[in-house]
Amino acid sequence: MTLSHFFAGRLDRFAFGSPERARQRAERLCEASPGRAFALFVVAAEAGDAEASFRVGECLVEGKGTPNDLVEAARWYHRAAIAGHVRAQCGLAQLHLFGLPEAAVERDAGLFEPVASSQADFHAAEIWAHRAADAGAADAQAMLAYIFSAGPPDLRHPEAAFDWYRRSAEQDCPQGQLGYAIALMMRDSTAENLAVARQHMLRAAEAGLPTAHYLLGVSAERAVGTPLDEVAARHHYAIAAKAGLGKAQARLGLLLLEGRGGAVDALNGETWLRRAGLGGDADAAAMLGGIYAQGGALPPNYAESAHWFRIAAERGHSAAARALGMLYLTGAGVVRDPDEAAIWFKQAAEAGDPPAQGSLAALLQAGTAASLTDDPPPVHEWFERAAEQGDLLGAFNYAVCLAEGFGLPRNDERAAFWLKRAAEGVVDAQYWYGRMLADGRGVAQDEVQAAIWFTRAANAGMAEAQAALAEIHMDGRGVPRDHQSAKSWFLRAASEGHAGAMFALGALHAGGHDIEPDLPQARRWFMEAAEGGNPRAALMLARYAARGLGGPLDIEAGRRWYVQAQALGLPEAADELAAFERSLAIDGGMAAGMPTGADAPEAA
């Protein structure tokens, strides 16, 4: 043993004779020999020294001279706190906010027996924070204000929270400055209040609080209480991001990617978004999903998009869950799976996402969400609530449920009522309400009004409405009979890929209407409609090819399109194909046995 160790041991034994001397000796040893200091603090604390009990708790919190143990720290803080030690009261309140069961601090015996942590105890924290706050501890005042503003409902007291934040801020406590600034902005957004709040926020930022830097960044980016300054926003976000604040990392990443507040920096921008997403920020993960889905200088990467949307969705981000559902529905970046799509749509829908509710309803109505058929979600109830709150899209979807009896008994009258309400702003509703009027379903038949609603939807670009408007112009129902107008509307619908409109254009050009016959044009339109899956167009194209109408005779094409028409659900195609084959056998290729109506194609 060296001489220094000998004298150190003698001094330690000397200190054991007095709690105060033991504590003072421990305080001197804290940096040089934390283990020996801890042992001396325990000696003094066991002898009843409140300051030593606090210091034992502090060592246990920091893991200094002993392993970190928050539950044991709480017990030692408790000893000091009941003796009136203000810093121990503050520390104990803070530990209760981390989640410490009452059993961890109330037992006298078995002090070092293990006790599992539980959820935060705001009520216990409030008791100790209040004692320390009343004694003037600025940290405790800020903590008490936080409890009164963010604790459970029975502890909420906004006015008291505001007052305690103010008192803490007056003592230059950084947490108090931050809380008071936020409370001021929430209370009244006048220019004067915003200016005062900004000063407190700046002091909190100068003290190094990342949240203060983040909020200053938000203020600068959105020009709240200060002029728009994206350079300053980027600066504050960078400080908070480097301190590990996820939301700041996400905002910094976005500014870097978009080149706001400085040069575009795609590499670092994506890196910050990734750090935020991996760190638990659902918004950042959703942003990454959107970036990869949209693409930019490079094509979209849907597999990477699905990865990030899943991360965000699993953390409760409803828009990301809806986007992930769309990827599964379309098979972009993932294996196409309507059942999996329905699962993610359901998550977003239950969180109140209207587009997801509509997508889920469409899957259920189409019968493609097998995983939900045994216990379908109450989509009609979601839509009804939305409709009653004035949401026009919700009103349209609720009307569809009523019209089709989806989830509730069919009710055409109520369906028509909600369709009319939704038609004020939803194009699909304008078309469907026009259809109800034209058919006299749920309302008195009124072809004139039907034409008005079809026209509104058609002018908004809806192909179904354009085709319907063309049809009523063909027949003169609710509008004057006008085949030229019909042709014009059919052309607009066909340009949107409407196969029925393409077939109708073929029929118009085939003759028998107020349009000059043009069989090559008719054949072209029948071809486009048939390739779009229209069964009657496939039958007409078979007839044209088999007879050489509007183009060359093509027996193989005729045979192929007859088969296609039959496969698409037209049984008469089989009879015509049989007659065609018989005629081929009789006259060696001339289709003389074709039905007499083949050269007078049916109207749309």
Side-chain angles (χ1 to χ4, degrees):
M1 178 184 294
T2 65
L3 189 62
S4 62
H5 280 91
F6 171 77
F7 281 113
R10 292 287 300 272
L11 286 170
D12 285 354
R13 285 194 295 275
F14 175 72
F16 270 61
S18 163
E20 185 178 355
R21 285 199 298 270
R23 173 170 52 77
Q24 292 171 349
R25 171 72 174 153
E27 288 169 349
R28 290 193 294 272
L29 289 171
C30 272
E31 297 303 323
S33 183
R36 287 168 59 195
F38 177 73
L40 288 168
F41 278 136
V42 171
V43 168
E46 290 283 15
D49 188 297
E51 173 66 17
S53 294
F54 165 71
R55 297 299 294 270
V56 170
E58 197 172 43
C59 289
L60 286 162
V61 167
E62 297 173 0
K64 192 171 183 178
T66 183
N68 172 271
D69 189 332
L70 297 184
V71 172
E72 293 302 325
R75 291 173 178 166
W76 288 106
Y77 277 158
H78 187 260
R79 282 190 171 196
I82 58 178
H85 194 286
V86 174
R87 290 171 65 196
Q89 292 167 349
C90 189
L92 184 57
Q94 190 171 24
L95 288 181
H96 274 299
L97 289 179
F98 280 104
L100 293 167
E102 285 296 322
V105 295
E106 290 185 349
R107 290 203 304 256
D108 291 328
L111 192 61
F112 293 99
E113 294 176 11
V115 179
S117 294
S118 67
Q119 294 181 347
D121 188 341
F122 280 90
H123 292 84
E126 186 270 337
I127 291 170
W128 294 110
H130 219 143
R131 291 190 188 184
D134 285 338
D139 287 348
Q141 292 169 346
M143 196 184 317
L144 183 61
Y146 169 76
I147 293 168
F148 283 148
S149 61
D154 62 314
L155 286 178
R156 296 283 176 91
H157 196 325
E159 288 302 318
F162 184 84
D163 184 58
W164 282 114
Y165 272 136
R166 178 187 57 76
R167 292 168 68 175
S168 177
E170 286 172 352
Q171 297 192 65
D172 290 326
C173 170
Q175 294 288 355
Q177 302 275 15
L178 176 61
Y180 187 49
I182 295 171
L184 277 170
M185 290 189 291
M186 292 180 64
R187 170 168 284 209
D188 193 348
S189 59
T190 63
E192 181 181 357
N193 258 16
L194 290 174
V196 174
R198 179 171 175 78
Q199 291 306 310
H200 286 287
M201 195 78 73
L202 285 167
R203 288 183 210 165
E206 288 167 1
L209 292 189
T211 302
H213 280 289
Y214 167 71
L215 292 174
L216 285 170
V218 172
S219 297
E221 184 185 4
R222 300 178 184 173
V224 178
T226 184
L228 176 69
D229 188 344
E230 291 179 334
V231 174
R234 188 187 278 203
H235 167 74
H236 286 295
Y237 286 148
I239 294 173
K242 289 171 185 175
L245 196 64
K247 290 191 177 299
Q249 292 171 344
R251 295 307 307 167
L252 176 61
L254 202 58
L255 291 186
L256 290 168
L257 283 169
E258 296 176 353
R260 291 161 53 202
V264 172
D265 188 343
L267 179 61
N268 281 319
E270 184 186 19
T271 298
W272 281 115
L273 277 177
R274 280 179 174 271
R275 288 180 64 175
L278 292 171
D281 190 282
D283 288 334
M287 274 190 261
L288 279 167
I291 288 168
Y292 281 112
Q294 293 168 6
L298 296 174
N301 185 337
Y302 292 114
E304 190 76 3
S305 176
H307 167 75
W308 288 106
F309 279 142
R310 181 181 293 276
I311 289 175
E314 287 174 347
R315 290 170 183 156
H317 197 289
S318 60
R322 184 208 332 134
L324 184 59
M326 287 304 301
L327 292 181
Y328 274 107
L329 188 62
T330 59
V334 291
V335 176
R336 187 176 184 278
D337 188 343
D339 276 342
E340 187 73 9
I343 290 169
W344 292 110
F345 284 148
K346 182 173 182 286
Q347 177 179 314
E350 288 176 341
D353 186 276
Q357 292 171 348
S359 297
L360 181 61
L363 280 179
L364 291 169
Q365 288 171 317
T368 54
S371 61
L372 301 181
T373 52
D374 292 337
D375 185 23
V379 292
H380 63 283
E381 294 179 5
W382 298 336
F383 295 145
E384 183 177 17
R385 283 197 295 271
E388 289 175 346
Q389 290 168 8
D391 182 83
L392 298 183
L393 186 58
F396 169 68
N397 284 319
Y398 183 47
V400 171
C401 290
L402 289 164
E404 299 188 7
F406 181 68
L408 72 174
R410 176 173 161 173
N411 188 323
D412 288 345
E413 289 76 16
R414 289 193 71 201
F417 169 81
W418 286 111
L419 279 173
K420 185 177 182 182
R421 182 77 61 84
E424 295 171 12
V426 179
V427 174
D428 283 7
Q430 294 166 2
Y431 165 70
W432 283 108
Y433 185 57
R435 182 62 68 193
M436 298 283 272
L437 286 163
D439 297 341
R441 180 180 165 190
V443 289
Q445 187 177 37
D446 189 334
E447 292 179 330
V448 173
Q449 282 296 310
I452 291 171
W453 286 108
F454 284 150
T455 302
R456 285 185 63 176
N459 284 327
M462 184 182 182
E464 286 286 347
Q466 291 165 350
L469 187 58
E471 287 175 6
I472 63 174
H473 274 292
M474 285 284 295
D475 300 335
R477 290 182 287 109
V479 292
R481 186 175 182 273
D482 185 343
H483 287 187
Q484 287 293 344
S485 290
K487 178 183 174 181
S488 174
W489 284 111
F490 278 137
L491 281 169
R492 289 179 64 174
S495 70
E496 298 295 326
H498 194 287
M502 296 171 188
F503 170 73
L505 286 166
L508 276 173
H509 286 293
H513 303 92
D514 300 336
I515 303 289
E516 187 70 26
D518 186 339
L519 295 187
Q521 275 286 78
R523 184 164 175 166
R524 181 177 75 82
W525 283 114
F526 286 142
M527 172 70 78
E528 291 199 28
E531 289 175 345
N534 185 282
R536 303 212 67 81
L539 179 59
M540 295 307 301
L541 186 57
R543 293 170 177 174
Y544 270 57
R547 299 197 63 184
L549 298 174
L553 178 70
D554 191 337
I555 291 172
E556 285 306 314
R559 184 179 286 120
R560 186 172 66 253
W561 285 111
Y562 273 130
V563 171
Q564 179 72 8
Q566 183 181 1
L568 290 171
L570 291 183
E572 62 265 38
D575 296 334
E576 291 193 20
L577 177 57
F580 175 52
E581 298 288 4
R582 285 195 300 271
S583 71
L584 288 175
I586 293 170
D587 56 28
M590 298 300 294
M594 288 296 295
T596 56
D599 58 348
E602 304 140 45

